[in-house]
Amino acid sequence: MTPTGSPAAFSTGHPNDTWLFGWNPTPGIVSVWAEASGRALVWRRVEGQVIFSEERFRPWILSTTLADLSHVGSALSRSSHPADAASALSFCELNGPQGSYRYLLTTQHWRTLERALLAGAARRLGQPVTSLYDLDEYYRVGLVEQYLMQTGRVYFRGLIYADLHRLQFDLETTALDPRRGRIFLVAVRDNRGLATTIDAASPADERRLIADLCALIQERDPDVLENHNLYGFDLQFLEYRAALLDVPLNLGRREGPALLERYDEPVSWGWRRRSRTTYSVAGRELVDTLEAVRRYDFSVRELSSYRLKDVARYFGLAAPDRVYIPGNAVYETYQQEPERVRRYALADVAEVDGLSQRLLGAPFALAGMAPRRYTRLISAGPAMGILEPMLVRAYLQAGAALPAYPSSGPEDLAGHAGGAAYLFATGIAEHVVKADIASMYPSLMRTYQIGPAGDRLGVLLHLVDRLTDLRLSHKEAARHAPHGSLEAGHHTALQQAMKILINSAYGYLGAGRMALFADRAAADEVTRRGREILEHVVRALKERGMVLIEADTDGVYFAVPAGWSAEQERALVADVGATLPRGINLEYEGRYRAMFSYEVKNYALLTYDGQLIVRGVALRSSRSERFGERFLQQALHAVMIGDIVGLQRVFRETVEALRSRSLTAADVATRVRLTKTPEEYKRSRAAHREAPYEALLAAGREDWRPGERVRYYRAADGSYRWLPDETDEPAGLAEGDAQEQDSAAETFQRERMPSTHAELRNDYDVEQYVQVLLTTYAGRLRKAFAPEDFDQIFRLDPQIGLFDRPIEDIQPLWIRCSNAG
């Protein structure tokens, strides 16, 4: 598909950088709204001013066949080039083999083409067909993506992140269910100096509040609207209340249609698959920072909660004087201290702004490469959601057919030959170094030119090549830019975005039927060579006298002799790295005072400055009790410095705190995500009773929904009790925001338990939680000790046994490197 925009290619000095950045140099696009009629509305920010234009494009779809259009006869015309097509339906034949997506079908109006294809497919198959997504013969993308691919345009050309005008707004409501509650306050902030609140002290004022919010957004005219859980709460609540009160919800720019478009879409993060409700408005990008937090944690896996206040503390964004109010007390507090609630709400939007600055630089940079809306790139999977659209654009630009989806064969049943993972030792290692084979899989693809057989143009390998080179140049530029400057932030965001794409290339190869250019044999070749490289590094370290702890594609952990300096460690890594093939780099990633090796990819690290880092689900869990998490943090620190006296003291203090009931229900409560509807649980209840549902039923709650998170604890009488959220303390969530609670649960809490301070109860089953402490939390340290030593340290009876050793003499199972060999 030759560009319909300017023929001049956007270039960084490389002949095929149009594959990476698109070819159209149009600057400053901040939003695109595309319609089925072929009308595209484009807003650009140029020198601080917003410029609007209305354009035409031809909606399109790729097909492996023309059979489903045979019934339209002469209404279908052939064109030699898509830009030459003028009829209602036309096709252009792309270069490619039979069975590939070699027919580019275009139309004046998308519905005309869609109806014709569905009717033809129904006739061919002899049964109704309701969606083109159900037919393998067709490959389609969204209308905005069609426009961007057809024109070669991308978002944000020539802009840096600070150029965007971003506005955050956050609703405060009397309940989480818009059917039962209303909006009484909204906090609004933008990155141009605005910080204000709009109040609706009485129910009669709510209509004015919504109208004033829309008017303020129109006046400020931001490019982006942001909040935390914007899709899951604010927009849903606002949409319902505006419709109920018959007030126009004008959030978009005035040149576009005045509507809030709502749709459901699947979202996938690795093994996590879910559906979410999203929104779009004409002229503005809608950004939910909750999605950005999920994306961040998918990589680092360090967050125990995705709530705004928790992640703000994690990132150091919370102000020292930040006002905190329990979620179920905000409205009550507003009635008594409205100014305090205003400060609380403004702190929320300030933290959203901080999260945006911290996490959205990379999606912003990706929007300057991939032909997708900025909004979509925040949650898009990097392989299918970012890399594949770039591949498709390159093929269309070249007039080349896309390959058909890979077919399933016997090899798909055999299982993919994945990467290697080794656990060499368990226990407590001292003086630990981590070395990383930098971007190993994409480096192997690049070094050995391992790409998908179906990529006839070699686009994927070219992208990996160029992105790797460009990323290194941006890393260097960021290093030399003034610390904290806009220039440093710009280069850092670009290199992070490029890293995301580089590291997704191997995953794309192995994506099977989900990816157009997937290649199982190529993916297997990458992992085969990866195993060889990893084994070479392990062998080289052993030969140099190091003690191996664990190794996989994420890196190699090993112990070095006591007293080694960081310079000696770096020299060792460089020496081993020099033995690797050209293009494969071994990097020194870090040094640690100690490491508790538990299982592969499950370990704890202690830095030389005392910071504890825990990795892996075996040592942490989203449903952990708060008292157990606190104990484990202290215990891990003690055991890794060899303080066994301190370790036993922490254990006994926790046992005493439980037995004296100085802990509260909130300390012992477990948080879980519900998976059954009330009807499903009631059907299975006779055969198997489950604690969280029993806790809800005992509290009189018979309405809940799958996906809701609830806390509960076991009481002294053996029953289970529901603990409603009072949300401003960390609660060990795996994911979600405080506002992601079931509306019925919120209503129940407000109406039945308005100010009970249920978290302060201490009527828990003491011995139950003592056993939880021993088996679930202390039990995770078994691999750090000989069995008899573990039993002595964590004995519930404090009396000294006949065969006990002095506690000072007990040592963990040390992993030490005695010499450099």
Side-chain angles (χ1 to χ4, degrees), residues 210-282:
I210 296 173
D212 286 352
L213 172 63
C214 293
L216 183 58
I217 289 171
Q218 294 300 323
E219 175 192 338
R220 301 297 291 187
D221 196 26
D223 306 316
V224 180
L225 299 178
E226 300 176 326
N227 198 26
H228 201 70
N229 202 22
L230 180 70
Y231 295 142
F233 180 73
D234 297 271
L235 288 177
Q236 291 189 32
F237 203 105
L238 192 58
E239 179 186 34
Y240 184 93
R241 298 303 295 175
L244 182 71
L245 297 170
D246 194 28
V247 54
L249 194 57
N250 295 323
L251 299 177
R253 281 188 159 123
R254 62 180 179 274
E255 300 92 348
L259 61 89
L260 181 66
E261 187 176 82
R262 175 178 182 159
Y263 50 94
D264 293 324
E265 67 175 9
V267 178
S268 175
W269 284 109
W271 63 89
R272 300 176 187 170
R273 298 198 190 317
R274 59 188 177 86
S275 176
R276 67 166 184 174
T277 298
T278 57
Y279 294 85
S280 61
V281 296

Side-chain angles (χ1 to χ4, degrees), residues 658-659 661 665 668 713-721 761-769:
L658 286 166
R659 288 181 168 165
R661 298 189 183 277
V668 302
Y713 66 99
R714 182 182 168 102
D717 62 4
S719 66
Y720 293 99
R721 297 191 179 169
R761 295 172 179 163
N762 61 2
D763 58 336
Y764 50 83
D765 184 337
V766 167
E767 292 310 312
Q768 160 77 11
Y769 289 105

